[in-house]
């Protein structure tokens, strides 16, 4: 699926299919385009459904017990990450040798851990609390300063940036519907001729329902309906 397939649906709903589009399909200096809105939609989907951009691969751990979520420069990951989903198993000093599983524990379980204990081999457990700090997780035993340790990790990767209508939709086609709904919400809730508060909230509600996540109630405001005669 190409992003232009979604652009067509968005433009159709806005009755904006003429040659001179109010919401251009190409990046346009000084104007918000559907490309901009698509990238915003994809990122919002990834933040609410981290599995949408999940990558599983071997990454290299840093020295010590405190680890930063995977990135290309430090851990040899193929992409930078938004958050960690899980550590699966040890992968040896070469990153290609499957070993013992790594077990997830609560952060509180590592509070009394002996952090002087280090390893040049396998780690046993890890703790990650996205709500406390989405960028940091702990491993135990700590990685020795001169050790090379790889683990298999699953993480939510930074979404691929869309540059034009001919680009492939960067997520599974399952998320095409939510992307369209978020784009329409952005347009309907903005300061422009298409702004429509009631329709905007309908699109936003449908977006979260389509993703199967809890509605963010703080984004909704009560709509006062005037009584007859007032």
């Amino acid at each position: 699926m190409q992003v232009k397939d979604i652009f067509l649906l968005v433009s159709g709903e806005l009755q904006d299919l003429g040659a001179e589009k109010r919401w251009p399909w190409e990046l346009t200096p000084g104007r918000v385009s559907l490309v901009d809105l698509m990238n915003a939609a994809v990122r919002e989907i990834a933040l609410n459904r981290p599995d949408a951009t999940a990558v599983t691969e071997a990454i290299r751990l840093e020295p010590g017990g405190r680890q930063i979520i995977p990135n290309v420069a430090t851990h040899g990951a193929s992409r930078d990450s938004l958050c960690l989903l899980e550590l699966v198993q040890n992968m040896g000093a070469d990153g290609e040798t499957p070993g013992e599983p790594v077990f997830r524990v609560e952060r509180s379980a590592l509070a009394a851990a002996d952090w002087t204990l280090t390893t040049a081999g396998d780690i046993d457990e890890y703790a990650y609390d996205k709500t406390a700090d989405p960028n940091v997780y702990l491993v135990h035993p700590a990685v020795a300063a001169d050790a090379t340790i790889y683990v298999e990790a699953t993480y939510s990767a930074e979404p691929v940036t869309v540059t034009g209508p001919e680009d492939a939709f960067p997520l599974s086609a399952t998320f095409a519907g939510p992307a369209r709904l978020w784009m329409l919400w952005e347009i309907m809730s903005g300061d422009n001729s298409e702004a429509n508060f009631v329709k905007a909230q309908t699109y936003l509600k449908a977006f979260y329902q389509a993703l199967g996540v809890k509605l963010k109630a703080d984004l909704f405001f009560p709509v006062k309906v005037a009584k007859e005669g007032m």
Side-chain angles (χ1 to χ4, degrees), residues 138-159:
L138 303 176
V139 298
H140 189 262
V143 178
D146 57 350
T148 300
I149 299 177
Y150 283 87
V151 294
E152 184 178 56
T154 300
Y155 61 89
S156 179
E158 285 277 0

Side-chain angles (χ1 to χ4, degrees), residues 141-199:
V143 178
D146 57 350
T148 300
I149 299 177
Y150 283 87
V151 294
E152 184 178 56
T154 300
Y155 61 89
S156 179
E158 285 277 0
V160 174
T161 299
V162 171
T163 60
E166 301 297 328
D167 287 5
F169 182 56
L171 305 176
S172 163
T174 305
F175 297 104
R180 176 184 64 87
L181 292 167
W182 182 266
M183 293 170 71
L184 287 167
W185 174 77
E186 290 259 29
I187 292 170
M188 293 292 177
S189 63
D191 184 13
N192 56 72
S193 60
E194 266 79 36
N196 183 313
F197 180 84
V198 175
K199 290 186 75 171

